[in-house]
Short mmCIF file of all heavy atoms in Angstrom, two decimals:
data_model
loop_
_atom_site.label_atom_id
_atom_site.label_comp_id
_atom_site.label_asym_id
_atom_site.label_seq_id
_atom_site.Cartn_x
_atom_site.Cartn_y
_atom_site.Cartn_z
N GLN B 111 95.60 94.74 85.16
CA GLN B 111 96.01 93.99 86.36
C GLN B 111 96.40 92.51 86.06
O GLN B 111 97.39 92.00 86.55
CB GLN B 111 94.88 94.00 87.44
CG GLN B 111 95.21 93.59 88.75
CD GLN B 111 95.99 94.71 89.59
OE1 GLN B 111 96.24 95.77 89.02
NE2 GLN B 111 96.36 94.42 90.74
N SER B 112 95.73 91.93 85.07
CA SER B 112 96.08 90.58 84.54
C SER B 112 97.52 90.57 84.04
O SER B 112 98.29 89.68 84.39
CB SER B 112 95.22 90.24 83.52
OG SER B 112 93.86 90.39 83.88
N VAL B 113 97.81 91.59 83.22
CA VAL B 113 99.19 91.61 82.54
C VAL B 113 100.22 91.88 83.71
O VAL B 113 101.36 91.28 83.57
CB VAL B 113 99.21 92.65 81.47
CG1 VAL B 113 100.59 92.78 80.88
CG2 VAL B 113 98.08 92.41 80.40
N LEU B 114 99.94 92.74 84.54
CA LEU B 114 100.91 93.05 85.65
C LEU B 114 101.17 91.72 86.50
O LEU B 114 102.26 91.71 87.13
CB LEU B 114 100.34 94.16 86.50
CG LEU B 114 100.15 95.55 85.95
CD1 LEU B 114 99.81 96.50 86.87
CD2 LEU B 114 101.50 96.02 85.07
N HIS B 115 100.20 90.77 86.56
CA HIS B 115 100.41 89.69 87.38
C HIS B 115 100.91 88.46 86.41
O HIS B 115 100.76 87.31 86.86
CB HIS B 115 99.18 89.35 88.20
CG HIS B 115 98.90 90.15 89.45
ND1 HIS B 115 99.59 89.78 90.53
CD2 HIS B 115 98.30 91.27 89.60
CE1 HIS B 115 99.38 90.63 91.53
NE2 HIS B 115 98.62 91.63 90.98
N GLY B 116 101.07 88.75 85.27
CA GLY B 116 101.69 87.77 84.34
C GLY B 116 100.75 86.79 83.74
O GLY B 116 101.24 85.61 83.37
N LEU B 117 99.51 87.06 83.75
CA LEU B 117 98.49 86.18 83.09
C LEU B 117 98.73 86.08 81.59
O LEU B 117 99.00 87.10 80.97
CB LEU B 117 97.10 86.53 83.45
CG LEU B 117 96.36 85.85 84.76
CD1 LEU B 117 97.08 86.29 85.97
CD2 LEU B 117 94.96 86.17 84.70
N GLY B 118 98.55 84.89 80.92
CA GLY B 118 98.64 84.87 79.57
C GLY B 118 97.53 85.46 78.95
O GLY B 118 96.39 85.66 79.50
N ARG B 119 97.66 85.92 77.65
CA ARG B 119 96.72 86.63 76.86
C ARG B 119 95.31 85.90 76.79
O ARG B 119 94.33 86.44 76.79
CB ARG B 119 97.22 86.86 75.47
CG ARG B 119 96.45 87.79 74.70
CD ARG B 119 97.00 88.11 73.24
NE ARG B 119 98.26 88.87 73.44
CZ ARG B 119 98.99 89.35 72.36
NH1 ARG B 119 98.65 89.03 71.16
NH2 ARG B 119 100.04 90.05 72.64
N ARG B 120 95.37 84.64 76.67
CA ARG B 120 94.11 83.76 76.45
C ARG B 120 93.32 83.76 77.89
O ARG B 120 92.18 83.58 77.84
CB ARG B 120 94.41 82.37 76.12
CG ARG B 120 94.93 82.24 74.69
CD ARG B 120 95.07 80.81 74.34
NE ARG B 120 95.69 80.64 73.04
CZ ARG B 120 96.13 79.62 72.52
NH1 ARG B 120 96.12 78.46 73.21
NH2 ARG B 120 96.64 79.63 71.27
N GLU B 121 94.02 83.98 78.94
CA GLU B 121 93.35 83.99 80.27
C GLU B 121 92.66 85.22 80.61
O GLU B 121 91.66 85.22 81.38
CB GLU B 121 94.41 83.55 81.46
CG GLU B 121 95.05 82.23 81.28
CD GLU B 121 96.12 82.20 82.38
OE1 GLU B 121 95.81 81.95 83.55
OE2 GLU B 121 97.36 82.51 82.03
N VAL B 122 93.24 86.29 80.02
CA VAL B 122 92.89 87.63 80.51
C VAL B 122 91.37 87.81 80.34
O VAL B 122 90.62 88.26 81.25
CB VAL B 122 93.62 88.74 79.73
CG1 VAL B 122 93.15 90.20 80.07
CG2 VAL B 122 95.16 88.57 80.21
N GLY B 123 90.92 87.62 79.06
CA GLY B 123 89.48 87.85 78.78
C GLY B 123 88.45 87.05 79.78
O GLY B 123 87.63 87.64 80.41
N PRO B 124 88.57 85.80 79.66
CA PRO B 124 87.54 84.93 80.40
C PRO B 124 87.65 85.27 81.83
O PRO B 124 86.68 85.40 82.59
CB PRO B 124 88.12 83.71 80.13
CG PRO B 124 88.82 83.54 78.87
CD PRO B 124 89.47 84.89 78.73
N ARG B 125 88.91 85.47 82.38
CA ARG B 125 89.06 85.75 83.87
C ARG B 125 88.40 87.16 84.24
O ARG B 125 87.72 87.20 85.24
CB ARG B 125 90.59 85.75 84.16
CG ARG B 125 90.83 85.84 85.67
CD ARG B 125 91.09 84.57 86.35
NE ARG B 125 91.07 84.76 87.78
CZ ARG B 125 90.31 84.29 88.59
NH1 ARG B 125 89.27 83.67 88.31
NH2 ARG B 125 90.53 84.64 89.98
N SER B 126 88.61 88.14 83.38
CA SER B 126 88.03 89.36 83.69
C SER B 126 86.42 89.39 83.65
O SER B 126 85.81 89.82 84.51
CB SER B 126 88.40 90.45 82.57
OG SER B 126 89.87 90.54 82.47
N ASP B 127 85.93 88.68 82.66
CA ASP B 127 84.55 88.48 82.60
C ASP B 127 83.86 87.76 83.78
O ASP B 127 82.96 88.11 84.34
CB ASP B 127 84.18 87.61 81.31
CG ASP B 127 84.43 88.51 80.14
OD1 ASP B 127 84.50 89.62 80.19
OD2 ASP B 127 84.56 87.86 78.98
N LEU B 128 84.64 86.69 84.24
CA LEU B 128 84.14 85.84 85.40
C LEU B 128 84.15 86.79 86.61
O LEU B 128 83.19 86.75 87.32
CB LEU B 128 85.14 84.77 85.59
CG LEU B 128 84.88 83.82 86.86
CD1 LEU B 128 83.71 82.97 86.55
CD2 LEU B 128 86.15 83.07 87.23
N LEU B 129 85.19 87.59 86.84
CA LEU B 129 85.25 88.37 88.00
C LEU B 129 84.29 89.56 88.02
O LEU B 129 83.70 89.87 89.03
CB LEU B 129 86.74 88.84 88.27
CG LEU B 129 87.71 87.88 88.76
CD1 LEU B 129 89.04 88.25 88.78
CD2 LEU B 129 87.31 87.48 90.21
N LEU B 130 84.20 90.16 86.88
CA LEU B 130 83.09 91.11 86.75
C LEU B 130 81.81 90.63 87.09
O LEU B 130 81.05 91.30 87.74
CB LEU B 130 83.11 91.86 85.38
CG LEU B 130 84.32 92.76 85.05
CD1 LEU B 130 84.44 93.10 83.63
CD2 LEU B 130 84.18 94.02 85.80
N ASP B 131 81.45 89.50 86.51
CA ASP B 131 80.24 88.90 86.97
C ASP B 131 80.01 88.55 88.36
O ASP B 131 79.00 88.76 88.96
CB ASP B 131 80.03 87.56 85.99
CG ASP B 131 78.66 87.05 86.02
OD1 ASP B 131 77.75 87.80 85.96
OD2 ASP B 131 78.48 85.83 86.28
N ARG B 132 81.11 88.02 89.00
CA ARG B 132 81.13 87.70 90.31
C ARG B 132 80.85 88.86 91.33
O ARG B 132 80.22 88.63 92.35
CB ARG B 132 82.34 86.79 90.66
CG ARG B 132 82.19 86.07 92.03
CD ARG B 132 83.70 85.70 92.53
NE ARG B 132 84.18 84.56 91.74
CZ ARG B 132 85.39 84.21 92.06
NH1 ARG B 132 86.18 84.75 92.94
NH2 ARG B 132 85.86 83.14 91.36
#
Side-chain angles (χ1 to χ4, degrees):
Chain B
Q111 196 74 1
S112 308
V113 178
L114 296 182
H115 280 277
L117 265 66
R119 189 176 291 183
R120 286 183 186 167
E121 298 170 82
V122 172
R125 185 94 188 116
S126 302
D127 291 343
L128 176 77
L129 282 167
L130 282 170
D131 190 42
R132 195 193 286 175

